[in-house]
Amino acid sequence: MPPKRKAAAKNGGKAAKKRKAEETEIGKPATTQDKINALKAADKAVSRKYRPDSFIPDATDYEVYLDYDAMLNQTNIGQNNNKFYVIQVLKNNASTSYFSWNRWGRVGEPGQNAMKGPFASANDAVKDFEKKFTDKTKNKWANRDTFKSIPGKYTLIEMAGEDDAGEDTVDAGLSLQTDQKVSKCSLDPVTQELVKLIFDNDMFRETMQRFDIDVKKMPLGKLSKTQIAKGFEILERLEEAVKKKSTKPTLEKLSSEFFTAIPHNFGRRLPPVIDNQEMVQQKYDMLGVLGDIEIAQSMKNEKKENTNVSKTTNEVPNPLDVNYGLLKCTLTLVDKKSKDYKILEKYFKETKPTSSWRNLVLREIWQVDREGEAEHFKAHDNIKERKLLWHGTNVAVVAAILKTGLRIMPHSGGRVGRGIYFASENDKSAGYVSPAGKKGIMFLNEVAIGKQHCIYSDNPNLTTPPKGYDSVLACGTQEPDSAYDVTLTLDGKPVVVPQAKPKQTGKSSSFYQSEYLIYKESQNRIRYLLLLDF
């Protein structure tokens, strides 16, 4: 917690109490350490089960004995090492004999393997497992909860255990008896396709691979909150070293630690040294996406608690209905003939990208009502100036956003500081969309902009507007012509919606297109979700 906030809380001031209420209200940790602690605490609650390594011949003939399953990793940039070691104790289901399985090699490659056994007893197989674990890590398996990484040795990668999240069938996560069937989906066909898209496992995997994440070490269903938290911890030390302009060996060592904790597949390439703030921020953003993918996977893991069998029809709920329910929000398809649709469509068309290589096509619009968000937004009823603004994002994080809202992460940042970024031009926000295939998603949010503090050059240190202001506007050299603005009435309040192409403002600024910044999560409300073809 920053010193000023801690001092204010200690003095019991009204401002401190208000900030505390807002943090509690939105349910979001205020500091990096809070975030890390929350991740670790949540991970302890995960029930675990283990599956045999997929490279085991006839893997279905085996099961992992108890919890004897270790994924080890070691990255050493100086020696161009980026390697793994898998150790498991296996029980053969047919012969009830026990084996010790080892597989090792370069990250991203199958590597070499050895199956030892059969052993005379499970204890003998366990002894072999524990000896190999100690040889490779210089830690005892019995002390794995207090594992300490040793230079030159492998590090234990904490996995969340296997589950049904990795299955892609429509009935994934459901255990059907012979006389049961899956009920018909209650969602309209278009919304069904949206739910499929934002929970699609192939999309999650492709997103992780674009970050060079080794999806074999951090596969869906095994993304560990604790391991992600470790990545944050190491990045904090790396960031501090970068700011201090530490020596290359120091940065090399810390980078190796990061890639050991968060396994990356660089092929035969030398792992890069993270030696500047831009690279650090990219890795923070990557961990943020991984955390949101984990949220989506955790939601899918809740299916079994939401699949009660109907006593009258003997049907289990459709998985798409279940996933939709887990979002805790209502998505209402907007009629394309309605006045509201026409207004939003014009906003899109007038401010969308004009370059031929990024020709966006609007497919559908949903009105969004997130559970609890209206109540949080009421805290800003006194702010009269409101605007509908664009927010682009990665398709892989959409499910998490619908579940938890837009959040200010401990390490989020940019040209205008640590806040939530919006734009009055679709073109600006479209640059932040990471599509799945050709499908992209953008949000239109009602933002209580209030009195805006205008800036014309970068200020990455901002964490709040200046006193007397509600938000920050990084004024662009162009802005949609306000003479054509219209208003939508949302929950009884007028909200400005631009309707014209951008025009030159005549002002000198380092910003080409305007960026709107708020520094309180409750100061915006997701109003619409747009599905686009990229």
Side-chain angles (χ1 to χ4, degrees):
M1 183 178 284
K4 289 183 179 179
R5 183 174 292 182
K6 183 180 284 187
K10 186 175 180 180
N11 294 332
K14 292 182 179 179
K17 290 180 180 178
K18 183 179 180 181
R19 281 196 297 270
K20 185 65 178 176
E22 286 169 354
E23 290 162 7
T24 303
E25 176 188 54
I26 58 180
K28 188 68 187 173
T31 68
T32 301
Q33 194 56 49
D34 287 340
K35 173 69 175 173
I36 290 170
N37 292 341
L39 286 167
K40 288 182 176 180
D43 209 36
K44 289 181 180 179
V46 177
S47 60
R48 303 171 186 271
K49 65 178 181 179
Y50 305 87
R51 289 180 181 170
D53 183 30
S54 60
F55 286 89
I56 297 170
D58 301 319
T60 55
D61 294 340
Y62 298 89
E63 63 181 60
V64 173
Y65 178 66
L66 300 179
D67 65 346
Y68 291 97
D69 180 2
M71 172 65 78
L72 311 177
N73 202 60
Q74 182 187 159
T75 300
N76 186 316
I77 296 174
Q79 298 179 16
N80 193 17
N81 286 337
N82 190 32
K83 54 189 181 179
F84 70 90
Y85 212 105
V86 178
I87 320 170
Q88 291 183 325
V89 174
L90 302 174
K91 177 183 177 183
N92 186 287
N93 294 319
S95 63
T96 64
S97 51
Y98 296 88
F99 298 81
S100 177
W101 168 259
N102 293 180
R103 184 167 63 87
W104 64 95
R106 182 90 176 178
V107 170
E109 299 176 2
Q112 299 174 272
N113 64 74
M115 179 77 87
K116 300 179 184 179
F119 290 93
S121 67
N123 285 341
D124 291 338
V126 167
K127 286 178 182 178
D128 186 86
F129 172 98
E130 291 180 338
K131 181 180 184 302
K132 181 64 70 176
F133 183 83
T134 300
D135 289 344
K136 295 299 176 184
T137 68
K138 290 300 180 188
N139 281 253
K140 292 185 180 297
W141 177 251
N143 300 331
R144 60 192 178 279
D145 287 343
T146 56
F147 187 95
K148 293 183 179 180
S149 297
I150 306 297
K153 291 295 180 179
Y154 285 86
T155 290
L156 177 65
I157 303 298
E158 296 192 46
M159 311 298 273
E162 283 285 6
D163 48 46
D164 295 315
E167 300 179 24
D168 292 314
T169 64
V170 70
D171 297 335
L174 302 182
S175 298
L176 297 179
Q177 298 178 10
T178 54
D179 60 339
Q180 292 175 345
K181 61 180 180 178
V182 179
S183 64
K184 183 179 178 180
C185 185
S186 65
L187 304 172
D188 64 82
V190 180
T191 305
Q192 288 183 43
E193 291 304 312
L194 175 67
V195 174
K196 286 179 184 177
L197 173 65
I198 65 176
F199 281 106
D200 183 66
N201 285 326
D202 287 338
M203 177 268 295
F204 289 137
R205 292 188 190 100
E206 288 168 7
T207 299
M208 293 168 69
Q209 288 171 334
R210 283 199 293 271
F211 287 121
D212 284 328
I213 294 295
D214 180 18
V215 295
K216 293 177 182 176
K217 286 208 186 60
M218 298 185 73
L220 300 179
K222 297 184 82 170
L223 276 173
S224 165
K225 298 179 181 72
T226 299
Q227 204 62 36
I228 295 170
K230 284 183 178 179
F232 274 115
E233 290 176 320
I234 298 167
L235 270 185
E236 282 208 314
R237 288 189 278 127
L238 236 172
E239 182 176 37
E240 189 65 27
V242 168
K243 288 178 179 178
K244 290 181 178 178
K245 297 182 179 180
S246 298
T247 62
K248 183 178 179 180
T250 297
L251 296 175
E252 197 174 86
K253 178 178 179 294
L254 288 168
S255 299
S256 296
E257 283 187 40
F258 178 75
F259 293 129
T260 295
I262 308 295
H264 281 55
N265 180 3
F266 296 113
R268 288 286 165 176
R269 291 176 288 135
L270 181 70
V273 178
I274 302 172
D275 59 2
N276 59 69
Q277 185 59 42
E278 183 179 359
M279 292 180 72
V280 170
Q281 189 60 52
Q282 286 174 351
K283 293 304 178 185
Y284 277 138
D285 294 342
M286 179 205 73
L287 290 180
V289 173
L290 286 183
D292 281 349
I293 291 176
E294 196 284 328
I295 288 173
Q297 290 297 303
S298 295
M299 280 193 276
K300 292 179 74 173
N301 296 343
E302 295 174 28
K303 278 183 178 180
K304 292 180 180 179
E305 299 175 10
N306 294 271
T307 52
N308 296 324
V309 180
S310 169
K311 294 181 180 179
T312 56
T313 64
N314 203 30
E315 292 180 334
V316 296
N318 189 287
L320 291 175
D321 284 323
V322 174
N323 280 344
Y324 176 79
L326 294 171
L327 293 172
K328 300 295 183 185
C329 75
T330 302
L331 299 172
T332 305
L333 200 59
V334 180
D335 186 349
K336 293 182 178 180
K337 296 180 181 179
S338 68
K339 179 183 176 182
D340 286 2
Y341 188 96
K342 298 299 182 184
I343 291 174
L344 302 178
E345 182 182 42
K346 187 171 180 62
Y347 189 10
F348 164 76
K349 287 181 177 180
E350 297 297 337
T351 66
K352 75 173 186 175
T354 55
S355 57
S356 58
W357 64 272
R358 198 167 64 178
N359 183 29
L360 305 190
V361 179
L362 176 60
R363 291 303 182 194
E364 305 290 346
I365 302 176
W366 286 265
Q367 191 169 22
V368 179
D369 185 11
R370 286 190 56 251
E371 185 177 283
E373 194 166 54
E375 292 301 314
H376 299 160
F377 199 40
K378 280 183 179 179
H380 307 285
D381 274 355
N382 61 316
I383 297 178
K384 305 303 180 185
E385 297 78 12
R386 293 155 182 264
K387 201 166 190 175
L388 204 62
L389 296 170
W390 297 99
H391 184 86
T393 193
N394 194 317
V395 173
V397 307
V398 169
I401 289 174
L402 290 174
K403 176 79 170 183
T404 65
L406 289 178
R407 292 154 291 152
I408 301 174
M409 303 299 286
H411 291 290
S412 59
R415 297 177 64 185
V416 199
R418 196 180 76 182
I420 303 178
Y421 286 66
F422 298 96
S424 54
E425 294 182 49
N426 177 282
D427 183 24
K428 176 66 177 178
S429 295
Y432 295 93
V433 175
S434 293
K438 293 184 178 181
K439 300 294 183 185
I441 288 176
M442 298 182 73
F443 292 100
L444 275 172
N445 290 29
E446 179 184 350
V447 184
I449 55 175
K451 187 177 180 182
Q452 296 176 288
H453 173 65
C454 296
I455 62 173
Y456 299 91
S457 60
D458 294 21
N459 189 346
N461 297 317
L462 283 172
T463 58
T464 185
K467 187 176 180 180
Y469 293 90
D470 301 298
S471 64
V472 171
L473 173 61
C475 299
T477 57
Q478 67 175 37
E479 178 78 18
D481 191 343
S482 61
Y484 298 91
D485 287 353
V486 299
T487 59
L488 280 177
T489 302
L490 300 175
D491 290 337
K493 293 197 167 42
V495 181
V496 173
V497 186
Q499 293 286 278
K501 293 185 182 301
K503 73 171 188 176
Q504 295 300 307
T505 62
K507 297 176 181 178
S508 176
S509 176
S510 64
F511 302 97
Y512 172 55
Q513 294 160 308
S514 296
E515 298 183 56
Y516 294 72
L517 272 291
I518 57 170
Y519 302 89
K520 295 178 181 177
E521 294 168 345
S522 58
Q523 206 170 325
N524 85 101
R525 182 177 177 185
I526 300 173
R527 287 296 190 177
Y528 300 97
L529 180 154
L530 292 84
L531 178 65
L532 311 172
D533 280 349
F534 274 67

